Amino acid sequence: MKISNLWVIVALLTPTFIFAAEIKEEVLENYAKHAQYLDVKISPNGKHLAATSRNPEGTVQLTVLDIKNNKILSVTQGKGNESVASFNWVNDDRLIMTMAREVGSLDMPLPTGEIFAMDADGGNQLILTGPRSDGGEYEFAQLLDMLPDEKDNILIYTRSMMSSEPYLDIYRMRTNSGRKRSEGRIPLKAYRSTNVQVLVDREGIARVAVGVDPQADNRTIILAREGANKEWYELASYNTDEGGFAPLLLNADATKVIGLSNSQTDTQAIATLDLKTKKETIVAEHPATDLSPIMSLTKGRAQELVGAAFEYDSIDAVFFEDIQDKRFVQIVQALIQSFPNHSVSINSVTHDNNQAIIRVGSANLPTTFYLFDSENNKLLPLAAATPWLKAKEMPKTEIITYKTRDGLTIRALLTLPPGKEAKDLPLILIPHGGPHGIRDTITRIDGDAKVFAEHGYAVLQPNFRGSGGYGREFLELGHKNWGTTMINDMTDGVQHLIKEKVADADRICVYGASYGGYAALQSAIREPDLYKCTVGFVGVYDLDLMYEQGDISEAQAGRNYLDQVLPSTPEERKAQSPVHNTDKLKAPVFIIQGGRDVRVPKEHAFRLRDKLKAQNHPYEWMMKDGEGHGFYKPENNIERWEQMLEFFDKYIGE
């Protein structure tokens, strides 16, 4: 596979003045485009590559290539509005894939729940599961394990599409015929807004299951069993507010579960949970940030815990001493050293580990796929996910820190306009959505930040209290405080940049999406003299309305979550709701909403608009009827950015 040599028109880097007429359309188009290459995987014998890519019509298709002859063996795409969603190699010559389709006026593709299979050359195509399969079952299926030691088999689970509280049924399935054999039922229900996680051992036997009981205040339950046809028993359970163990995978001999835990630590540590003694042991922890495990691979399957990855002042990793697969660690260390401060992951490997597909990217490096030959120590670029984006031309994003008024240390991302001195710049504050458990990270590109920086604005993205990644205490400091101390943290970040003379105190605006949209309005309400304009995108504006409308409140698990994180009384929720405090606003408001948003229904936007209109407060409005919780269509994001830039230019441009 060769990288397409696409060219891009480079925007001027040092504009003297900012006007609405100077909006760089090429920049907007480049960041609005969906990735051309989504995934690349190598066959177990290393002879074939498979890749999902987007055709000119926007449909995602699966292409299979013969590496030696550089020959396309097949190109497969769904019917009508269906796109390939995911794929895996079953063996050297056969693949499975799933599909997603556009539903109604929604533009975001939704998974069909079916599993398809085909040969590398496109032949012997079968629909293995779902209503269109020979069995015709109305069931949603998902892959559990590729069973690398069984040539044609995979392990799947299915759950009924007709039940609101289905059990999970496990099957071994032959991908060349669709025949399946029952491997039992998981004794946990997948309640609405929850899921059941299943871990299997090296023999493909389901050994651990994790579920959530909404009737017990979202209590997490971990079940285990000694082997096939054995009785399930409770391994552990915990409440969401007391810390716990999150299983990830079984170790090689299936005696322990490897997972993430904050039952004994504040941050997420790497830990093991013994299946017999039920004893939890901390393997590695960082005092200030969460860890994630680095596993060696055998036949494409995670094998040995060899290290830990984390993001704090930079993207980093540590490796353990007493490990068996030293060759694998040496390879990973060499790859990390080749791409400092970028996210490096192994996408897929051959069964002998001699060849691997490497995925590299960060906030400052567009994602690129490489073919790594470990025997010859060669790294060959295969495909750039977004070849029209060039790292050297992008505004740079860095991690900064500052102190809050009550002494917390906040880590934030700062993106600066290229070709400009970091002095007295107009600033846009962008609080992230979520808000809990989410954090802004330097591991990926944020289109909003890059677009605004390309147009002369500094962009601050703070990981305020309540954000994920910095420990349970930090996260829980945000509970009940959506509109108070969380907002203070954002304001303190802006004041830090003003004090450092990076930002011009008279040219500050705030914008966000989802919770970030709420925070954008609430910030302008709490600091009416600081922000010269505010933009809310699919934002929450009435906290009580979250209990009445939207998909969160439709399930008991969601209502439990709202009780945990929102202010407890109607009076407190009203005091922290932007729609009830618009009289404190001075900044002009821009409201952007998706008409089919089920997470934050459009009633939030209507209530805010009507309140502003009644008070004769200046506002602008954008509603896209076919969009949901965030815009999916590139043309809608381009239009959104155009109007936002005009809005910012009007109030804080030079």
Side-chain angles (χ1 to χ4, degrees):
M1 183 185 296
K2 297 180 179 178
I3 299 177
S4 301
N5 292 318
L6 298 182
W7 59 276
V8 61
I9 300 175
V10 181
L12 294 176
L13 297 182
T14 56
T16 305
F17 300 99
I18 303 174
F19 300 102
E22 292 184 10
I23 290 176
K24 305 166 185 176
E25 294 296 337
E26 297 89 352
V27 169
L28 307 191
E29 292 169 3
N30 287 342
Y31 284 103
K33 286 181 187 177
H34 296 302
Q36 181 176 349
Y37 287 97
L38 286 76
D39 204 359
V40 182
K41 293 179 181 177
I42 194 166
S43 63
N45 61 5
K47 293 183 178 180
H48 301 140
L49 283 178
T52 42
S53 60
R54 208 175 298 274
N55 65 19
E57 290 73 40
T59 301
V60 178
Q61 58 191 22
L62 179 65
T63 302
V64 182
L65 302 98
D66 181 308
I67 296 176
K68 182 178 180 180
N69 299 315
N70 195 27
K71 177 184 177 183
I72 294 178
L73 297 181
S74 62
V75 178
T76 304
Q77 63 185 52
K79 295 181 179 180
N81 59 356
E82 290 184 342
S83 284
V84 178
S86 65
F87 68 95
N88 279 282
W89 286 96
V90 178
N91 53 49
D92 295 334
D93 304 302
R94 194 156 177 79
L95 305 99
I96 59 168
M97 56 188 171
T98 63
M99 292 287 182
R101 70 165 68 97
E102 295 177 5
V103 179
S105 62
L106 289 174
D107 296 304
M108 177 74 76
L110 300 176
T112 66
E114 300 162 309
I115 298 176
F116 298 72
M118 72 172 195
D119 292 341
D121 63 3
N124 191 19
Q125 295 189 8
L126 291 174
I127 304 177
L128 301 176
T129 67
R132 293 183 290 182
S133 67
D134 288 342
E137 303 99 336
Y138 279 83
E139 294 176 334
F140 188 99
Q142 188 165 316
L143 176 70
L144 273 180
D145 195 77
M146 292 305 299
L147 302 176
D149 294 318
E150 302 179 30
K151 182 179 179 182
D152 294 314
N153 287 343
I154 58 173
L155 194 71
I156 66 169
Y157 76 68
T158 66
R159 55 180 172 83
S160 171
M161 293 180 176
M162 313 303 291
S163 172
S164 61
E165 299 180 1
Y167 287 102
L168 271 60
D169 294 306
I170 311 296
Y171 295 96
R172 250 178 174 77
M173 173 170 280
R174 296 190 65 82
T175 63
N176 57 4
S177 66
R179 293 181 181 177
K180 61 184 181 181
R181 184 184 74 204
S182 174
E183 297 285 330
R185 169 170 283 189
I186 303 300
L188 290 173
K189 290 182 178 181
Y191 294 96
R192 187 168 184 176
S193 293
T194 73
N195 198 3
V196 174
Q197 177 190 6
V198 181
L199 305 183
V200 302
D201 61 20
R202 296 300 185 271
E203 304 301 319
I205 305 300
R207 297 288 301 279
V208 175
V210 187
V212 174
D213 185 357
Q215 309 307 320
D217 197 25
N218 291 7
R219 186 172 182 82
T220 297
I221 302 169
I222 306 174
L223 302 182
R225 61 177 180 171
E226 295 179 359
N229 302 315
K230 300 292 185 178
E231 290 295 320
W232 290 90
Y233 62 90
E234 185 173 306
L235 181 62
S237 65
Y238 56 90
N239 291 323
T240 54
D241 59 352
E242 66 184 14
F245 182 89
L248 296 177
L249 70 161
L250 289 161
N251 66 348
D253 60 5
T255 59
K256 298 177 181 179
V257 184
I258 300 169
L260 298 175
S261 174
N262 60 359
S263 64
Q264 303 174 43
T265 59
D266 182 51
T267 56
Q268 290 278 11
I270 297 175
T272 61
L273 185 59
D274 192 289
L275 293 184
K276 286 189 176 181
T277 67
K278 302 183 181 181
K279 180 182 178 182
E280 182 183 316
T281 303
I282 301 298
V283 177
E285 66 173 301
H286 190 293
T289 192
D290 292 350
L291 299 180
S292 59
I294 300 175
M295 304 294 298
S296 69
L297 299 172
T298 299
K299 293 186 177 180
R301 176 191 268 156
Q303 181 72 19
E304 181 187 9
L305 178 63
V306 297
F310 59 94
E311 177 186 348
Y312 194 53
D313 293 321
S314 62
I315 300 170
D316 213 338
V318 294
F319 294 88
F320 307 141
E321 292 182 356
D322 299 326
I323 55 174
Q324 296 178 359
D325 199 342
K326 291 181 171 54
R327 177 173 177 265
F328 182 88
V329 170
Q330 290 171 351
I331 291 172
V332 174
Q333 287 176 321
L335 290 169
I336 291 174
Q337 290 170 4
S338 298
F339 299 98
N341 208 23
H342 299 302
S343 176
V344 180
S345 59
I346 297 177
N347 220 44
S348 72
V349 295
T350 55
H351 276 190
D352 60 11
N353 276 9
N354 286 336
Q355 296 182 84
I357 304 299
I358 310 299
R359 185 186 188 115
V360 181
S362 73
N364 297 312
L365 182 69
T367 297
T368 302
F369 297 96
Y370 294 85
L371 175 61
F372 179 64
D373 182 340
S374 64
E375 286 190 316
N376 299 303
N377 198 32
K378 289 184 178 180
L379 195 64
L380 174 68
L382 289 176
T386 51
W388 46 86
L389 293 178
K390 307 300 180 185
K392 64 181 180 180
E393 298 162 0
M394 292 169 52
K396 294 299 180 284
T397 301
E398 62 179 346
I399 297 174
I400 66 167
T401 62
Y402 61 89
K403 288 284 189 179
T404 66
R405 64 193 69 180
D406 56 352
L408 288 180
T409 297
I410 300 294
R411 274 169 166 72
L413 302 185
L414 178 63
T415 305
L416 296 173
K420 280 197 166 191
E421 183 183 0
K423 183 178 180 181
D424 293 331
L425 294 169
L427 174 70
I428 299 173
L429 167 68
I430 307 182
H432 62 68
H436 303 294
I438 306 298
R439 84 177 192 182
D440 285 309
T441 170
I442 203 168
T443 61
R444 60 178 178 266
I445 292 172
D446 184 289
D448 284 322
K450 298 298 189 184
V451 164
F452 300 151
E454 284 273 18
H455 288 81
Y457 294 99
V459 177
L460 176 67
Q461 298 170 273
N463 284 311
F464 43 84
R465 70 189 72 196
S467 301
Y470 301 102
R472 192 175 72 203
E473 181 181 353
F474 186 83
L475 182 144
E476 291 178 354
L477 284 174
H479 291 178
K480 314 291 185 183
N481 295 312
W482 278 29
T484 55
T485 52
M486 291 168 70
I487 302 299
N488 290 347
D489 292 350
M490 305 168 202
T491 303
D492 293 346
V494 172
Q495 295 293 356
H496 168 76
L497 293 181
I498 292 172
K499 182 179 179 181
E500 294 294 313
K501 301 189 183 305
V502 173
D504 182 343
D506 295 323
R507 293 192 294 160
I508 312 289
C509 282
V510 54
Y511 149 74
S514 193
Y515 169 81
Y518 164 90
L521 267 295
Q522 188 70 1
S523 292
I525 287 168
R526 286 176 59 88
E527 304 290 342
D529 295 320
L530 178 62
Y531 298 104
K532 299 302 182 282
C533 66
T534 180
V535 182
F537 181 27
V538 294
V540 173
Y541 308 120
D542 187 336
L543 296 185
D544 275 329
L545 188 58
M546 295 190 72
Y547 283 99
E548 302 167 15
Q549 295 187 19
D551 61 353
I552 296 177
S553 61
E554 289 176 353
Q556 183 61 48
R559 293 190 291 274
N560 293 343
Y561 168 78
L562 294 178
D563 288 341
Q564 181 184 30
V565 302
L566 292 184
S568 300
T569 67
E571 292 76 19
E572 290 173 313
R573 291 193 292 272
K574 183 175 182 180
Q576 293 189 42
S577 292
V579 74
H580 296 301
N581 294 278
T582 53
D583 58 309
K584 301 178 180 69
L585 270 174
K586 291 183 179 179
V589 179
F590 187 5
I591 306 168
I592 307 173
Q593 181 66 34
R596 297 296 295 261
D597 191 345
V598 297
R599 176 56 49 87
V600 180
K602 57 188 176 184
E603 179 63 22
H604 283 271
F606 288 143
R607 287 189 181 185
L608 178 61
R609 183 192 64 177
D610 293 346
K611 193 71 177 291
L612 296 175
K613 185 184 296 185
Q615 294 175 348
N616 199 28
H617 189 93
Y619 75 91
E620 297 185 20
W621 176 264
M622 176 185 287
M623 173 75 72
K624 292 297 180 183
D625 291 333
E627 294 282 13
H629 194 57
F631 289 0
Y632 182 76
K633 282 189 172 182
E635 58 267 32
N636 287 340
N637 278 313
I638 290 172
E639 183 181 348
R640 173 175 68 87
W641 282 329
E642 287 173 340
Q643 294 193 27
M644 288 175 68
L645 286 167
E646 291 175 358
F647 188 72
F648 293 143
D649 292 345
K650 181 177 179 181
Y651 295 105
I652 61 172
E654 294 185 78

